[in-house]
Amino acid sequence: MSTSYQNFIDGKWVDALGGETFENRNPADWEEVVGVFPKSMKEDVDRAVKAATEAQKDWKKVPVPVRGAILTKAADLLVERKEEYSRDMTREMGKVLTETRGDVQEAIDTGYYAGSEGRRFFGRTVPSELPNKAAFTTHLPLGVVGLIAPWNFPMAIPSWKSFPALLAGNGVVFKPASDVPLSGTHFIRTLIDAGVPPKLLNLVHGTGGSVGGPIIEHEGLQGISFTGSTAVGKLITRVSADTLKRVSLELGGKNAQIVWEDADLDLALEGVLWGAFGTTGQRCTATSRLIIHEAVHDMFLDMLIEAIGKLTLGNGLEEGVDIGPLVNEEQLKMMVDYTQIGLEGGAELRVGGEVASDGALDKGFFFKPTVFSGVTPEMRIATEEIFGPILSVLKVSDWDEAVAVHNNTDYGLSSSLYTKNLNLSFHAVDDLVAGITYINAPTIGAECHLPFGGCKGTGNGHREGGWGPYEFFSETKTVYFDYSGALQRAQIDTEEV
Ligand code: UN1
C-alpha cells in the first residue's frame, strides 16, 4: 500500500474536493510508488485563495521581525529534517543524494536569510525639497500570491519564493510541480510546524492545467512567481494582463562555459563535468554549450570524453553514483529527440547519445552523458534549451567570435569563462549577455543571498535570491510627513536657487 498525501488548505490537511489523485513514482525505479497525491481543481484553488486572503489580514499586522523569527524557526527545523527530506527528494526526482542535500541546504540558507531580513527590510529616508517636511518609504504586502515551482529544485526554489513572500506579509497559495509533490509537502509542513499561521499558507497539488491555470487566472491573487518553461511563462504574462497581476518569471537558459587558450584545463574539466552533468543536466543553469578556443579545442575535448567514461549512472541513493535518471519518461524521450536533432543538424556525436538500460538501469529513465562536437552557432542544439545531459561543443578563434557565439541564443541566464587573463575576465563581465557570469567556476552553483535570474528570454527582469524578491513581493509606500503647519506646495513653494 502506498502512502496517501493531502493538500493543505484553510489550515487543514484535506483531499481534493473532486476526490481525484495521481501517483508520484521514482524515476530511478518506476515500479516504486513514492506516494499518492490529490489532483486538485479550480474549486480547491478557490478555497485556498479565500483562506489565505482572510488570514493575511492578521499576518500583515505581525511585526516583520516576528515574521522573521518564525521563518528562522522553519530553517532550524529543516536542519533537523535535512537527511530525511533529502532522501525522499532523491526518491521522487532522481538527483543524487549529495545534490538533494544541497537542495535542502539552499532552502535552509534562504530561510535564515529571510529571518535576518526581518530585522532589516529597509525603507529609505529621503530629504524633502520643502522645510519641516519628512519623506520616507516603507513596504506594504502585495496581498496573496500564487507560487508555481518546478521539479528540478524541489525545495530550494519553493523556498526562494515562499520565504520572501511570507516575510513581506503576504498570504500564499503554492503549487509544487507534480513530479515532486512530496518535497513540496515536507516544505509546507515544516513552515506550519514552525508557526506560520496555517490558513495563510496553502498547498494545492495537481498539474499545470488543473491547478496552475486556475492560479494564474485567479482574480483574488495579486502576484505570481513562476519558474518553468518559456511557453508557460508567456502564457502567464498574457493571462495576467487581464488582472494586472505582478509576475516574476524564471524560464531557463542555454548556458555556456568558455574555455580560453590559457585556461587551467584540469580545473575547466572539473567545471564542465559538474556544470553539464550535475543534476543530470536538469538545471536552468546547466552548462549546455562548451565554447573552446581553437588552440586547446582538440586536447580539451579528448580530456572531456575520457573523463565522461568514468562517470557512473545509477540510483542517486547509492554510494559512488555520479548521475541519476531524468525526472520522467517525457524528459528521457526529449534526450532521444535532441540526439536525433543534433545528428540531423550535422553535428558529430562523440559519446553517449543513447538510453542507458544495462541491469538495474532498465527500471529507470537513464540517458548516457552525451557530447556533440563540430556544433555551429545556428544549429538547434546550439540555441535551444535541452534540460538534460547533452553538451554541444563549439570552436572559436578569438574573443569577438566567442562573444558572438555565446550571445547567439534567446536566453541569458548563466555563463562561465575559464582563463588566467584578468583583463579578459572583465571583458566577459561586460560582454556576455547573461544574468550571472562565473570566472573560473562552472555555470551552476548560485548562492541564495545573491540575485538569480537572467536576460532576454530567461525571464521578465525580476531576480530571485538576495534582496530583490522582498521588493517583488511588496508595494512600496512613499510617506510625506509635513510638520510645518502650513500648506506647502511642492514645485511651487520650493525655494528657488
Ligand atoms: C535552477 O536550475 O533553476 O545555481 C536553479 C544553481 C542552483 C540553482 C539552480 N543553486 O545551479
Side-chain angles (χ1 to χ4, degrees):
M1 259 296 278
S2 42
T3 315
S4 286
Y5 294 87
Q6 294 178 298
N7 288 328
F8 189 73
I9 297 177
D10 198 14
K12 291 180 277 295
W13 292 99
V14 289
D15 293 332
L17 286 173
E20 284 191 64
T21 58
F22 66 94
E23 282 179 345
N24 177 22
R25 287 176 179 256
N26 181 345
D29 176 359
W30 202 239
E31 284 162 19
E32 182 190 345
V33 179
V34 176
V36 177
F37 289 81
K39 185 170 181 213
S40 318
M41 310 294 258
K42 182 176 180 311
E43 303 78 70
D44 303 290
V45 174
D46 286 343
R47 288 186 58 215
V49 174
K50 191 160 174 277
T53 305
E54 227 14 70
Q56 195 264 342
K57 291 179 187 156
D58 293 330
W59 181 242
K60 71 179 181 193
K61 296 191 190 127
V62 174
V64 187
V66 177
R67 293 181 209 153
I70 294 172
L71 302 181
T72 300
K73 179 83 189 301
D76 290 340
L77 292 177
L78 286 176
V79 171
E80 287 171 20
R81 302 171 184 183
K82 180 173 170 181
E83 193 58 21
E84 178 200 342
Y85 288 0
S86 304
R87 286 182 174 275
D88 279 347
M89 194 187 290
T90 295
R91 281 174 62 221
E92 75 174 340
M93 60 74 73
K95 66 183 174 184
V96 299
L97 192 53
T98 38
E99 292 194 36
T100 50
R101 287 183 185 130
D103 192 310
V104 178
Q105 187 60 45
E106 201 160 338
I108 292 168
D109 297 341
T110 304
Y112 285 131
Y113 184 98
S116 69
E117 187 63 22
R119 291 201 177 268
R120 271 189 310 267
F121 209 29
F122 296 137
R124 288 181 182 229
T125 308
V126 185
S128 166
E129 65 188 42
L130 291 158
N132 299 318
K133 190 174 173 187
F136 62 94
T137 67
T138 184
H139 298 97
L140 299 181
L142 267 187
V144 180
V145 293
L147 310 180
I148 305 177
W151 47 261
N152 65 336
F153 276 81
M155 207 165 287
I157 293 181
S159 85
W160 291 358
K161 300 180 189 303
S162 308
F163 281 126
L166 291 168
L167 190 281
N170 298 285
V172 166
V173 176
F174 166 51
K175 181 192 118 45
S178 51
D179 283 304
V180 291
L182 184 54
S183 297
T185 303
H186 287 332
F187 182 62
I188 294 307
R189 189 183 296 281
T190 303
L191 286 166
I192 297 301
D193 290 349
V196 172
K199 296 179 182 204
L200 185 74
L201 180 59
N202 294 265
L203 167 72
V204 189
H205 290 292
T207 60
S210 71
V211 173
I215 288 180
I216 64 178
E217 284 164 8
H218 211 289
E219 299 201 348
L221 296 173
Q222 286 72 49
I224 300 285
S225 178
F226 170 77
T227 301
S229 73
T230 304
V232 174
K234 287 182 180 171
L235 175 73
I236 293 176
T237 307
R238 274 196 297 274
V239 171
S240 301
D242 285 338
T243 48
L244 279 182
K245 275 190 202 57
R246 188 175 301 181
V247 175
S248 173
L249 301 173
E250 206 280 280
L251 309 175
K254 183 68 184 176
N255 317 290
Q257 174 176 317
I258 304 174
V259 179
W260 214 240
E261 56 184 331
D262 63 349
D264 176 336
L265 294 186
D266 292 324
L267 187 67
L269 178 64
E270 281 186 90
V272 68
L273 289 172
W274 176 225
F277 305 119
T279 326
T280 321
Q282 301 172 112
R283 294 195 190 208
C284 303
T285 50
T287 308
S288 188
R289 297 178 295 157
L290 181 64
I291 301 172
I292 316 179
H293 191 283
E294 61 183 4
V296 291
H297 176 273
D298 294 355
M299 188 200 298
F300 193 69
L301 201 51
D302 288 345
M303 288 165 67
L304 175 64
I305 286 160
E306 195 194 325
I308 287 174
K310 295 182 189 138
L311 296 175
T312 307
L313 270 66
N315 185 325
L317 288 177
E318 285 166 18
E319 278 297 311
V321 168
D322 300 301
I323 304 182
L326 275 302
V327 73
N328 57 36
E329 194 169 10
E330 203 183 336
Q331 289 303 118
L332 183 68
K333 192 174 168 301
M334 193 88 87
M335 297 311 112
V336 175
D337 290 351
Y338 266 108
T339 301
Q340 201 52 35
I341 289 167
L343 289 169
E344 280 166 14
E348 192 184 341
L349 179 63
R350 300 298 294 263
V351 64
E354 53 186 12
V355 172
S357 53
D358 323 334
L361 300 186
D362 191 29
K363 292 180 171 175
F365 304 125
F366 293 93
F367 195 79
K368 295 187 180 168
T370 299
V371 175
F372 278 104
S373 65
V375 177
T376 52
E378 71 287 350
M379 286 182 191
R380 286 183 60 190
I381 59 167
T383 56
E384 294 176 15
E385 182 172 52
I386 295 177
F387 227 71
I390 298 181
L391 180 65
S392 302
V393 180
L394 300 101
K395 180 156 71 172
V396 295
S397 52
D398 61 34
W399 181 246
D400 286 347
E401 188 185 1
V403 171
V405 168
H406 175 277
N407 292 342
N408 188 42
T409 151
D410 292 337
Y411 296 101
L413 180 53
S414 185
S415 54
S416 148
L417 170 66
Y418 280 77
T419 182
K420 295 192 189 109
N421 182 333
L422 259 185
N423 293 354
L424 192 71
S425 305
F426 276 88
H427 283 298
V429 173
D430 290 344
D431 297 342
L432 302 181
V433 181
I436 306 170
T437 293
Y438 291 92
I439 304 297
N440 293 322
T443 59
I444 68 176
E447 300 174 26
C448 84
H449 55 299
L450 284 136
F452 180 94
C455 312
K456 301 193 280 186
T458 287
N460 60 349
H462 291 291
R463 295 290 183 266
E464 302 196 278
W467 49 93
Y470 296 88
E471 298 296 326
F472 173 80
F473 287 114
S474 302
E475 293 288 6
T476 298
K477 165 67 61 89
T478 305
V479 181
Y480 295 102
F481 198 109
D482 193 323
Y483 51 99
S484 69
L487 171 67
Q488 301 195 86
R489 296 170 300 174
Q491 296 90 36
I492 295 168
D493 297 330
T494 305
E495 197 172 322
E496 282 185 34
V497 181

